[in-house]
Amino acid sequence: MPATNQPRIGGLHLAAALPGAQAVGSRQVRVTGCTCDPRKVRPGDAFIAIDGPQGDDCRGVQLAAKRGAAAVVAERLLPIGATPQFLVEDARHAFGALCHALVGHPTASMPTIAVTGSLGKSAVAALASSIISHAGAQPSLSLGADTCLGSAAAAARWLADTMVSGATHAVVEASGTQLAAGALLGASLDAVCVTNLKADRGHGGQSPDAQRRQMLASLELLAPEGIAVLNADDPDCVRALAERDGPTVTFGVSPGADVSATLVERNASEQVFILHSGADSAAVRTEVIGDAHMQNCLAAAAIGLAYGADLTSIAAGIEAVRKLPNTMRPIRSGQGFPVFLDGARSPAALRGVLETAREVASGRVLCVASLNGETSLESSTVAAALSDQTYLIADNGPPRPGAPGRWFDDRFTALALALAVAEPGDCLVLAGHRADSRIEGLTEHEVVTTLLRQRGAQELQAARAA
């Protein structure tokens, strides 16, 4: 991941960018870039010693000085000769601050919204971007698959480029892992939305509790007048709300939430619900169905309200998003039963998807699911409890002992069998879908569409023969 930031020509005074730093040597140091990788130091760069050398191992800092570092930023004094040093309490925070200073502090003049949480981040970010667009602004959107949050340096450069390109707002999805890596350090966020904190497994070496703490810590990146958008139905968010003094907008079905919704109708093709905010209301019709999607819409609506959008613009922005990455995406090829692609793998996500499937099915619920080996026992137990038939595939290791269900070695075989046995009235959920996965060079949507067409052709031939 990028660990270097090169600014516009001219650079800046390091003491001005890090006003709280203690200078050892000259304070009159001008830097033209920064990096935390000693191999990438260029003459005039500030080298940030993140994590610091251990014991007497100063080779990284010495290499940086040898390559022409104008100064070293560290958490303790290092034996590196005449190179000026700037001592700080937290080198990672200093790196983030310097990355943003070098590109002109883009978040100071371009409202930037971060969306974090255990579930629904991509959907909420995409919906919020659409709402902001329908309110007359020009947002730029970065989802988890993008690389803009690979590091603080990459994030600062992307935000600067986004502002130069004419964007009025930036909306970024931020995972707990990215936040833990310091990807948004140095940014001054205009709003942070926490979708929920239902983490039931860790990521990037972090425990679920550590993930939750990191997501809530993103609120500390808010500007003084920044707005927290919190889930009133989530216990951890409610606790954070009780401790917060700054502006806050809440969403959920709980009484008192600033934005709520009432479901009017739901079937396999669409759902209709009413958005409520105070005395105002607006109807929303979406092709993406399920309680989870309705909750995502509420989170995005709360972001819209925080920016002064009216409910009519918010509803239009939601309805303009016809499909979302890995979120109950319907596959229609003339078959007599609904088929949905969804990215659900965790127990909580699977439960939400399969409960929606049960709601719209008049027959059986069939579930094909690729599950992470480490949580396969919990996830497969949910799948078995809420489905009539399961077709399971273990990723990242074998299934845990005792994991229920029928297990397959590859996803294509499971898909083909489930599609072959599905009948009119059934609902087939293809969970654990990855948008970038390919089967024989085809996307999963293309593979399923092909299999459905083959099934339709065979049924037509059989009918003619009869």
Side-chain angles (χ1 to χ4, degrees):
M1 294 296 183
T4 303
N5 214 6
Q6 298 298 329
R8 298 186 296 269
I9 296 173
L12 51 76
H13 288 288
L14 187 56
L18 302 175
Q22 176 187 351
V24 178
S26 174
R27 285 186 63 85
Q28 304 305 312
V29 178
R30 194 171 187 86
V31 297
T32 55
C34 69
T35 181
C36 53
D37 186 340
R39 300 165 300 176
K40 296 182 179 180
V41 170
R42 301 178 184 180
D45 281 353
F47 173 67
I48 291 78
I50 292 180
D51 295 330
Q54 299 298 316
D56 294 328
D57 184 9
C58 295
R59 289 174 295 178
V61 177
Q62 290 169 350
L63 175 60
K66 184 177 180 181
R67 289 179 61 87
V72 170
V73 178
E75 295 176 5
R76 62 184 178 90
L77 189 63
L78 302 169
I80 53 172
T83 302
Q85 298 185 54
F86 284 71
L87 306 185
V88 296
E89 291 186 5
D90 190 316
R92 291 169 68 253
H93 281 78
F95 178 56
L98 190 52
C99 285
H100 282 264
L102 284 164
V103 294
H105 293 292
T107 57
S109 52
M110 178 181 63
T112 300
I113 302 119
V115 180
T116 189
S118 301
L119 302 173
K121 297 182 294 293
S122 295
V124 172
L127 289 162
S129 180
S130 180
I131 289 169
I132 292 169
S133 177
H134 275 75
Q138 298 180 42
S140 184
L141 173 66
S142 173
L143 298 180
D146 299 334
T147 58
C148 91
L149 293 190
S151 68
R157 286 200 303 273
W158 180 82
L159 288 163
D161 291 344
T162 291
M163 187 172 65
V164 170
S165 70
T168 59
H169 296 68
V171 182
V172 297
E173 174 192 353
S175 70
T177 302
Q178 290 168 325
L179 291 169
L184 284 175
L185 291 178
S188 181
L189 300 177
D190 207 51
V192 170
C193 174
V194 182
T195 60
N196 53 68
L197 293 166
K198 297 179 180 179
D200 42 33
R201 67 184 181 92
H203 295 272
Q206 288 187 305
S207 68
D209 284 343
Q211 288 268 309
R212 283 188 281 268
R213 287 193 299 271
Q214 196 65 57
M215 292 169 186
L216 284 174
S218 64
L219 298 175
E220 299 172 7
L221 300 175
L222 282 166
E225 297 303 316
I227 302 171
V229 179
L230 299 175
N231 187 340
D233 299 331
D234 185 279
D236 290 298
C237 286
V238 171
R239 282 191 287 271
L241 177 63
E243 298 171 359
R244 179 167 169 74
D245 293 329
T248 305
V249 178
T250 60
F251 63 92
V253 298
S254 298
D258 296 317
V259 188
S260 60
T262 302
L263 181 65
V264 176
E265 180 184 3
R266 177 180 295 156
N267 56 49
S269 299
E270 64 180 17
Q271 65 183 9
V272 178
F273 58 89
I274 306 296
L275 280 176
H276 306 284
S277 177
D280 296 330
S281 62
V284 179
R285 184 186 302 272
T286 69
E287 293 184 12
V288 181
I289 66 171
D291 288 344
H293 181 61
M294 196 161 70
Q295 190 86 347
N296 292 339
C297 291
L298 285 173
I303 294 172
L305 282 175
Y307 283 93
D310 59 77
L311 284 187
T312 301
S313 296
I314 289 172
I318 292 172
E319 291 182 344
V321 180
R322 303 291 294 276
K323 62 181 181 181
L324 289 162
N326 295 336
T327 305
M328 290 296 280
R329 181 182 178 185
I331 301 179
R332 300 185 179 100
S333 188
Q335 76 275 13
F337 52 89
V339 178
F340 296 101
L341 272 178
D342 194 276
R345 287 173 175 252
S346 69
L350 267 177
R351 179 175 297 279
V353 169
L354 293 174
E355 285 177 347
T356 298
R358 179 65 67 189
E359 187 176 345
V360 300
S362 58
R364 301 170 300 173
V365 172
L366 312 181
C367 176
V368 175
S370 294
L371 305 176
N372 297 305
E374 62 184 21
T375 57
S376 57
L377 178 59
E378 298 87 347
S379 296
S380 61
T381 299
V382 170
L386 297 178
S387 306
D388 297 287
Q389 293 183 16
T390 58
Y391 307 80
L392 308 177
I393 310 96
D395 285 347
N396 306 320
R400 298 281 296 277
R406 186 176 180 184
W407 293 85
F408 294 79
D409 292 331
D410 66 278
R411 189 167 173 95
F412 176 79
T413 301
L415 287 172
L417 183 56
L419 286 166
V421 302
E423 300 174 351
D426 292 345
C427 183
L428 174 56
V429 173
L430 309 179
H433 168 67
R434 295 191 188 279
D436 59 352
S437 64
R438 295 292 183 271
I439 300 175
E440 298 295 328
L442 300 176
T443 66
E444 188 164 322
H445 189 283
E446 291 169 336
V447 169
V448 173
T449 299
T450 299
L451 291 172
L452 287 170
R453 287 173 179 168
Q454 290 175 351
R455 170 179 164 144
Q458 292 168 356
E459 291 175 346
L460 180 60
Q461 185 176 10
R464 287 174 174 171

